[in-house]
Short mmCIF file of all heavy atoms in Angstrom, two decimals:
data_model
loop_
_atom_site.label_atom_id
_atom_site.label_comp_id
_atom_site.label_asym_id
_atom_site.label_seq_id
_atom_site.Cartn_x
_atom_site.Cartn_y
_atom_site.Cartn_z
N PHE A 47 48.70 -25.07 -50.46
CA PHE A 47 47.76 -24.93 -49.35
C PHE A 47 46.34 -24.96 -49.92
O PHE A 47 46.11 -24.45 -51.04
CB PHE A 47 47.98 -23.61 -48.61
CG PHE A 47 49.27 -23.54 -47.81
CD1 PHE A 47 49.71 -22.34 -47.31
CD2 PHE A 47 50.02 -24.67 -47.57
CE1 PHE A 47 50.89 -22.27 -46.58
CE2 PHE A 47 51.21 -24.61 -46.85
CZ PHE A 47 51.65 -23.40 -46.35
N VAL A 56 41.04 -10.77 -43.25
CA VAL A 56 41.55 -10.98 -41.89
C VAL A 56 42.20 -9.72 -41.36
O VAL A 56 43.15 -9.19 -41.96
CB VAL A 56 42.58 -12.14 -41.88
CG1 VAL A 56 43.04 -12.43 -40.46
CG2 VAL A 56 41.99 -13.39 -42.53
N ILE A 58 44.51 -8.13 -38.67
CA ILE A 58 45.58 -8.51 -37.74
C ILE A 58 45.78 -7.38 -36.78
O ILE A 58 46.32 -6.31 -37.14
CB ILE A 58 46.87 -8.88 -38.48
CG1 ILE A 58 46.58 -10.03 -39.46
CG2 ILE A 58 47.99 -9.25 -37.51
CD1 ILE A 58 47.77 -10.42 -40.32
N GLY A 66 54.42 -8.38 -32.97
CA GLY A 66 54.56 -9.17 -34.19
C GLY A 66 53.41 -9.05 -35.17
O GLY A 66 53.24 -9.92 -36.02
N LYS A 67 52.65 -7.95 -35.09
CA LYS A 67 51.53 -7.79 -36.04
C LYS A 67 52.03 -7.69 -37.48
O LYS A 67 51.62 -8.46 -38.35
CB LYS A 67 50.73 -6.52 -35.71
CG LYS A 67 49.90 -6.58 -34.48
CD LYS A 67 49.02 -5.34 -34.33
CE LYS A 67 49.83 -4.06 -34.26
NZ LYS A 67 50.73 -4.00 -33.11
N THR A 68 52.91 -6.74 -37.72
CA THR A 68 53.42 -6.52 -39.07
C THR A 68 54.23 -7.72 -39.54
O THR A 68 54.08 -8.17 -40.68
CB THR A 68 54.26 -5.26 -39.11
OG1 THR A 68 53.45 -4.13 -38.79
CG2 THR A 68 54.89 -5.05 -40.48
N THR A 69 55.07 -8.23 -38.69
CA THR A 69 55.90 -9.40 -39.06
C THR A 69 55.01 -10.58 -39.43
O THR A 69 55.29 -11.29 -40.41
CB THR A 69 56.80 -9.78 -37.88
OG1 THR A 69 57.67 -8.68 -37.57
CG2 THR A 69 57.64 -11.01 -38.22
N SER A 70 53.93 -10.78 -38.67
CA SER A 70 53.02 -11.89 -38.97
C SER A 70 52.24 -11.64 -40.25
O SER A 70 52.05 -12.56 -41.06
CB SER A 70 52.06 -12.10 -37.79
OG SER A 70 52.78 -12.46 -36.61
N ALA A 71 51.78 -10.41 -40.45
CA ALA A 71 51.03 -10.09 -41.67
C ALA A 71 51.89 -10.33 -42.91
O ALA A 71 51.45 -10.95 -43.89
CB ALA A 71 50.56 -8.63 -41.63
N VAL A 72 53.15 -9.90 -42.85
CA VAL A 72 54.04 -10.03 -44.00
C VAL A 72 54.39 -11.50 -44.26
O VAL A 72 54.26 -12.01 -45.39
CB VAL A 72 55.32 -9.22 -43.75
CG1 VAL A 72 56.39 -9.59 -44.77
CG2 VAL A 72 55.03 -7.72 -43.83
N ASN A 73 54.82 -12.20 -43.22
CA ASN A 73 55.32 -13.57 -43.42
C ASN A 73 54.20 -14.57 -43.66
O ASN A 73 54.36 -15.51 -44.44
CB ASN A 73 56.17 -13.99 -42.22
CG ASN A 73 57.49 -13.24 -42.17
OD1 ASN A 73 58.32 -13.36 -43.06
ND2 ASN A 73 57.69 -12.42 -41.16
N LEU A 74 53.04 -14.37 -43.04
CA LEU A 74 51.91 -15.22 -43.37
C LEU A 74 51.47 -14.96 -44.82
O LEU A 74 51.14 -15.92 -45.56
CB LEU A 74 50.74 -14.96 -42.41
CG LEU A 74 50.92 -15.45 -40.97
CD1 LEU A 74 49.71 -15.02 -40.13
CD2 LEU A 74 51.07 -16.97 -40.91
N GLY A 75 51.45 -13.69 -45.20
CA GLY A 75 51.08 -13.35 -46.58
C GLY A 75 52.01 -13.98 -47.59
O GLY A 75 51.57 -14.55 -48.60
N VAL A 76 53.32 -13.90 -47.34
CA VAL A 76 54.30 -14.48 -48.27
C VAL A 76 54.15 -16.00 -48.30
O VAL A 76 54.19 -16.62 -49.37
CB VAL A 76 55.73 -14.09 -47.86
CG1 VAL A 76 56.75 -14.86 -48.69
CG2 VAL A 76 55.91 -12.60 -48.06
N ALA A 77 53.97 -16.63 -47.15
CA ALA A 77 53.84 -18.09 -47.09
C ALA A 77 52.59 -18.55 -47.86
O ALA A 77 52.66 -19.52 -48.63
CB ALA A 77 53.77 -18.56 -45.63
N LEU A 78 51.47 -17.87 -47.67
CA LEU A 78 50.25 -18.24 -48.39
C LEU A 78 50.44 -18.11 -49.89
O LEU A 78 50.01 -18.96 -50.66
CB LEU A 78 49.09 -17.36 -47.91
CG LEU A 78 48.60 -17.59 -46.47
CD1 LEU A 78 47.65 -16.44 -46.06
CD2 LEU A 78 47.91 -18.92 -46.33
N ALA A 79 51.12 -17.04 -50.30
CA ALA A 79 51.34 -16.82 -51.74
C ALA A 79 52.31 -17.85 -52.32
O ALA A 79 52.08 -18.35 -53.43
CB ALA A 79 51.86 -15.40 -51.97
N LEU A 80 53.38 -18.14 -51.61
CA LEU A 80 54.36 -19.11 -52.11
C LEU A 80 53.73 -20.49 -52.27
O LEU A 80 54.14 -21.27 -53.14
CB LEU A 80 55.55 -19.21 -51.15
CG LEU A 80 56.52 -18.02 -51.15
CD1 LEU A 80 57.61 -18.24 -50.10
CD2 LEU A 80 57.13 -17.80 -52.52
N TYR A 81 52.74 -20.79 -51.47
CA TYR A 81 52.07 -22.09 -51.54
C TYR A 81 50.75 -22.02 -52.29
O TYR A 81 49.83 -22.77 -52.02
CB TYR A 81 51.89 -22.66 -50.15
CG TYR A 81 53.16 -23.29 -49.58
CD1 TYR A 81 54.12 -22.51 -48.96
CD2 TYR A 81 53.41 -24.65 -49.72
CE1 TYR A 81 55.30 -23.06 -48.48
CE2 TYR A 81 54.58 -25.21 -49.24
CZ TYR A 81 55.51 -24.42 -48.63
OH TYR A 81 56.70 -24.98 -48.15
N LEU A 83 48.27 -19.49 -52.97
CA LEU A 83 47.06 -18.76 -52.69
C LEU A 83 47.25 -17.28 -52.97
O LEU A 83 48.20 -16.66 -52.50
CB LEU A 83 46.62 -18.95 -51.24
CG LEU A 83 46.31 -20.40 -50.81
CD1 LEU A 83 45.96 -20.48 -49.34
CD2 LEU A 83 45.18 -20.97 -51.67
N THR A 85 47.06 -13.53 -52.49
CA THR A 85 47.01 -12.80 -51.21
C THR A 85 47.24 -11.32 -51.42
O THR A 85 48.10 -10.93 -52.21
CB THR A 85 48.05 -13.37 -50.24
OG1 THR A 85 47.90 -14.78 -50.10
CG2 THR A 85 47.93 -12.72 -48.87
N LEU A 86 46.46 -10.52 -50.72
CA LEU A 86 46.63 -9.07 -50.71
C LEU A 86 46.90 -8.61 -49.29
O LEU A 86 46.13 -8.94 -48.38
CB LEU A 86 45.36 -8.39 -51.24
CG LEU A 86 45.31 -6.85 -51.11
CD1 LEU A 86 46.37 -6.19 -51.99
CD2 LEU A 86 43.92 -6.31 -51.47
N VAL A 87 48.00 -7.90 -49.08
CA VAL A 87 48.32 -7.33 -47.78
C VAL A 87 48.04 -5.83 -47.83
O VAL A 87 48.56 -5.13 -48.71
CB VAL A 87 49.80 -7.59 -47.40
CG1 VAL A 87 50.16 -6.85 -46.11
CG2 VAL A 87 50.06 -9.07 -47.25
N LEU A 100 57.95 -5.84 -47.58
CA LEU A 100 57.58 -6.44 -48.87
C LEU A 100 58.29 -5.76 -50.04
O LEU A 100 58.01 -6.08 -51.19
CB LEU A 100 56.06 -6.39 -49.06
CG LEU A 100 55.26 -7.32 -48.13
CD1 LEU A 100 53.76 -7.07 -48.30
CD2 LEU A 100 55.58 -8.78 -48.39
N LEU A 134 51.35 -12.41 -54.66
CA LEU A 134 51.24 -11.51 -53.52
C LEU A 134 51.30 -10.07 -53.96
O LEU A 134 52.22 -9.65 -54.67
CB LEU A 134 52.38 -11.78 -52.53
CG LEU A 134 52.40 -10.91 -51.27
CD1 LEU A 134 51.20 -11.18 -50.39
CD2 LEU A 134 53.70 -11.13 -50.49
N TYR A 179 42.97 -14.41 -49.86
CA TYR A 179 43.17 -13.80 -48.55
C TYR A 179 43.44 -12.31 -48.69
O TYR A 179 44.21 -11.89 -49.56
CB TYR A 179 44.37 -14.44 -47.83
CG TYR A 179 44.09 -15.79 -47.25
CD1 TYR A 179 44.22 -16.92 -48.04
CD2 TYR A 179 43.67 -15.94 -45.94
CE1 TYR A 179 43.94 -18.18 -47.52
CE2 TYR A 179 43.39 -17.19 -45.40
CZ TYR A 179 43.52 -18.32 -46.21
OH TYR A 179 43.23 -19.54 -45.67
N LEU A 181 44.81 -9.59 -46.01
CA LEU A 181 45.37 -9.42 -44.66
C LEU A 181 45.57 -7.94 -44.39
O LEU A 181 46.24 -7.26 -45.16
CB LEU A 181 46.71 -10.16 -44.52
CG LEU A 181 46.72 -11.66 -44.89
CD1 LEU A 181 48.12 -12.23 -44.70
CD2 LEU A 181 45.69 -12.43 -44.09
N LEU A 203 42.78 -11.88 -36.41
CA LEU A 203 43.92 -12.67 -35.95
C LEU A 203 44.70 -11.80 -34.98
O LEU A 203 45.06 -10.67 -35.29
CB LEU A 203 44.81 -13.07 -37.15
CG LEU A 203 46.01 -13.99 -36.85
CD1 LEU A 203 46.37 -14.80 -38.10
CD2 LEU A 203 47.25 -13.21 -36.39
N ILE A 204 44.91 -12.31 -33.76
CA ILE A 204 45.62 -11.56 -32.74
C ILE A 204 46.97 -12.20 -32.45
O ILE A 204 47.03 -13.33 -31.95
CB ILE A 204 44.80 -11.50 -31.42
CG1 ILE A 204 43.42 -10.90 -31.67
CG2 ILE A 204 45.54 -10.67 -30.38
CD1 ILE A 204 42.54 -10.87 -30.43
N PRO A 205 48.07 -11.53 -32.81
CA PRO A 205 49.38 -12.04 -32.41
C PRO A 205 49.63 -11.67 -30.93
O PRO A 205 49.38 -10.54 -30.52
CB PRO A 205 50.38 -11.30 -33.32
CG PRO A 205 49.53 -10.50 -34.28
CD PRO A 205 48.20 -10.32 -33.63
N THR A 238 41.54 -16.54 -34.71
CA THR A 238 42.91 -17.05 -34.65
C THR A 238 43.76 -16.27 -33.65
O THR A 238 43.73 -15.06 -33.62
CB THR A 238 43.59 -16.97 -36.05
OG1 THR A 238 42.73 -17.56 -37.03
CG2 THR A 238 44.91 -17.71 -36.05
N ILE A 239 44.50 -17.03 -32.84
CA ILE A 239 45.51 -16.44 -31.93
C ILE A 239 46.85 -17.05 -32.31
O ILE A 239 46.97 -18.28 -32.46
CB ILE A 239 45.21 -16.78 -30.46
CG1 ILE A 239 43.80 -16.31 -30.06
CG2 ILE A 239 46.26 -16.13 -29.55
CD1 ILE A 239 43.61 -14.82 -30.00
N LEU A 240 47.84 -16.21 -32.51
CA LEU A 240 49.18 -16.68 -32.89
C LEU A 240 50.18 -16.27 -31.82
O LEU A 240 50.32 -15.08 -31.53
CB LEU A 240 49.60 -16.09 -34.25
CG LEU A 240 51.01 -16.43 -34.74
CD1 LEU A 240 51.15 -17.92 -34.96
CD2 LEU A 240 51.30 -15.68 -36.03
N THR A 242 53.75 -15.47 -30.57
CA THR A 242 54.96 -15.00 -31.23
C THR A 242 56.08 -14.76 -30.21
O THR A 242 55.84 -14.69 -29.01
CB THR A 242 54.72 -13.69 -31.99
OG1 THR A 242 54.33 -12.65 -31.05
CG2 THR A 242 53.56 -13.86 -33.01
N LEU A 267 46.72 -21.20 -32.62
CA LEU A 267 47.40 -22.10 -33.55
C LEU A 267 48.41 -22.97 -32.81
O LEU A 267 49.05 -22.51 -31.85
CB LEU A 267 48.11 -21.30 -34.63
CG LEU A 267 47.28 -20.47 -35.61
CD1 LEU A 267 48.18 -19.73 -36.57
CD2 LEU A 267 46.30 -21.37 -36.37
N ALA A 269 51.14 -24.01 -34.16
CA ALA A 269 52.43 -23.47 -34.55
C ALA A 269 52.78 -22.26 -33.69
O ALA A 269 51.92 -21.42 -33.40
CB ALA A 269 52.42 -23.08 -36.04
N ILE A 271 55.73 -19.12 -33.08
CA ILE A 271 56.81 -18.38 -33.72
C ILE A 271 57.91 -18.11 -32.67
O ILE A 271 57.68 -17.38 -31.72
CB ILE A 271 56.33 -17.05 -34.32
CG1 ILE A 271 55.09 -17.27 -35.19
CG2 ILE A 271 57.45 -16.39 -35.11
CD1 ILE A 271 55.27 -18.24 -36.32
N SER A 286 60.80 -10.60 -46.64
CA SER A 286 60.26 -11.39 -45.53
C SER A 286 61.32 -12.39 -45.13
O SER A 286 62.29 -12.63 -45.85
CB SER A 286 59.00 -12.14 -46.00
OG SER A 286 59.37 -13.17 -46.93
N VAL A 287 61.15 -13.01 -43.96
CA VAL A 287 62.15 -13.98 -43.53
C VAL A 287 62.14 -15.21 -44.43
O VAL A 287 63.16 -15.89 -44.58
CB VAL A 287 61.90 -14.37 -42.05
CG1 VAL A 287 60.62 -15.21 -41.90
CG2 VAL A 287 63.09 -15.15 -41.48
N LEU A 288 61.01 -15.47 -45.10
CA LEU A 288 60.94 -16.65 -45.99
C LEU A 288 61.81 -16.50 -47.20
O LEU A 288 62.32 -17.49 -47.74
CB LEU A 288 59.48 -16.91 -46.42
CG LEU A 288 58.59 -17.63 -45.41
CD1 LEU A 288 58.06 -16.66 -44.37
CD2 LEU A 288 57.44 -18.29 -46.12
N GLY A 296 62.62 -19.28 -37.87
CA GLY A 296 61.55 -18.31 -38.02
C GLY A 296 60.78 -18.53 -39.31
O GLY A 296 59.55 -18.47 -39.33
N SER A 297 61.49 -18.84 -40.39
CA SER A 297 60.84 -19.07 -41.69
C SER A 297 59.97 -20.31 -41.64
O SER A 297 58.79 -20.26 -42.03
CB SER A 297 61.90 -19.21 -42.77
OG SER A 297 61.33 -19.59 -44.00
N SER A 299 58.72 -21.80 -39.12
CA SER A 299 57.61 -21.64 -38.17
C SER A 299 56.46 -20.88 -38.80
O SER A 299 55.28 -21.21 -38.60
CB SER A 299 58.09 -20.93 -36.91
OG SER A 299 59.04 -21.72 -36.20
N TYR A 300 56.78 -19.84 -39.57
CA TYR A 300 55.72 -19.09 -40.25
C TYR A 300 55.05 -19.91 -41.34
O TYR A 300 53.83 -19.79 -41.58
CB TYR A 300 56.25 -17.77 -40.80
CG TYR A 300 56.10 -16.64 -39.83
CD1 TYR A 300 57.21 -16.01 -39.26
CD2 TYR A 300 54.84 -16.18 -39.44
CE1 TYR A 300 57.07 -14.98 -38.36
CE2 TYR A 300 54.68 -15.16 -38.52
CZ TYR A 300 55.80 -14.56 -37.97
OH TYR A 300 55.65 -13.54 -37.06
N VAL A 301 55.82 -20.78 -42.02
CA VAL A 301 55.20 -21.67 -43.01
C VAL A 301 54.23 -22.63 -42.30
O VAL A 301 53.12 -22.85 -42.79
CB VAL A 301 56.29 -22.46 -43.77
CG1 VAL A 301 55.65 -23.56 -44.62
CG2 VAL A 301 57.09 -21.52 -44.68
N ASP A 302 54.65 -23.17 -41.17
CA ASP A 302 53.76 -24.06 -40.41
C ASP A 302 52.50 -23.34 -39.95
O ASP A 302 51.39 -23.88 -40.03
CB ASP A 302 54.50 -24.62 -39.19
CG ASP A 302 55.61 -25.60 -39.57
OD1 ASP A 302 55.55 -26.12 -40.70
OD2 ASP A 302 56.49 -25.84 -38.73
N ALA A 303 52.68 -22.10 -39.48
CA ALA A 303 51.51 -21.33 -39.03
C ALA A 303 50.57 -21.02 -40.20
O ALA A 303 49.34 -21.12 -40.07
CB ALA A 303 51.97 -20.02 -38.38
N ALA A 304 51.12 -20.65 -41.35
CA ALA A 304 50.31 -20.37 -42.52
C ALA A 304 49.58 -21.60 -43.02
O ALA A 304 48.41 -21.54 -43.42
CB ALA A 304 51.18 -19.79 -43.63
N ARG A 305 50.26 -22.75 -42.96
CA ARG A 305 49.61 -24.01 -43.40
C ARG A 305 48.41 -24.33 -42.48
O ARG A 305 47.32 -24.65 -42.97
CB ARG A 305 50.62 -25.15 -43.35
CG ARG A 305 50.03 -26.51 -43.76
CD ARG A 305 51.05 -27.62 -43.71
NE ARG A 305 52.06 -27.48 -44.76
CZ ARG A 305 53.31 -27.13 -44.54
NH1 ARG A 305 53.72 -26.84 -43.30
NH2 ARG A 305 54.16 -27.03 -45.56
N GLU A 306 48.62 -24.21 -41.18
CA GLU A 306 47.52 -24.47 -40.25
C GLU A 306 46.40 -23.47 -40.41
O GLU A 306 45.22 -23.81 -40.40
CB GLU A 306 48.07 -24.43 -38.82
CG GLU A 306 47.08 -24.85 -37.76
CD GLU A 306 47.68 -24.82 -36.36
OE1 GLU A 306 48.91 -24.61 -36.22
OE2 GLU A 306 46.90 -25.01 -35.40
N PHE A 307 46.76 -22.22 -40.60
CA PHE A 307 45.77 -21.14 -40.81
C PHE A 307 44.97 -21.42 -42.07
O PHE A 307 43.75 -21.26 -42.08
CB PHE A 307 46.55 -19.83 -40.93
CG PHE A 307 45.69 -18.60 -41.09
CD1 PHE A 307 44.74 -18.28 -40.15
CD2 PHE A 307 45.87 -17.76 -42.18
CE1 PHE A 307 43.95 -17.14 -40.30
CE2 PHE A 307 45.09 -16.63 -42.35
CZ PHE A 307 44.13 -16.31 -41.41
N ALA A 308 45.62 -21.85 -43.14
CA ALA A 308 44.94 -22.15 -44.39
C ALA A 308 44.00 -23.34 -44.25
O ALA A 308 42.87 -23.33 -44.76
CB ALA A 308 45.95 -22.41 -45.50
#
Side-chain angles (χ1 to χ4, degrees):
F47 291 167
V56 184
I58 301 177
K67 288 188 300 298
T68 297
T69 300
S70 297
V72 167
N73 290 296
L74 289 176
V76 171
L78 291 168
L80 288 177
Y81 282 83
L83 298 178
T85 306
L86 171 66
V87 174
L100 290 174
L134 180 66
Y179 284 86
L181 306 180
L203 184 153
I204 304 177
T238 310
I239 304 290
L240 177 63
T242 63
L267 294 178
I271 310 302
S286 69
V287 70
L288 280 81
S297 174
S299 296
Y300 268 114
V301 169
D302 291 341
R305 179 180 290 108
E306 187 179 353
F307 183 58

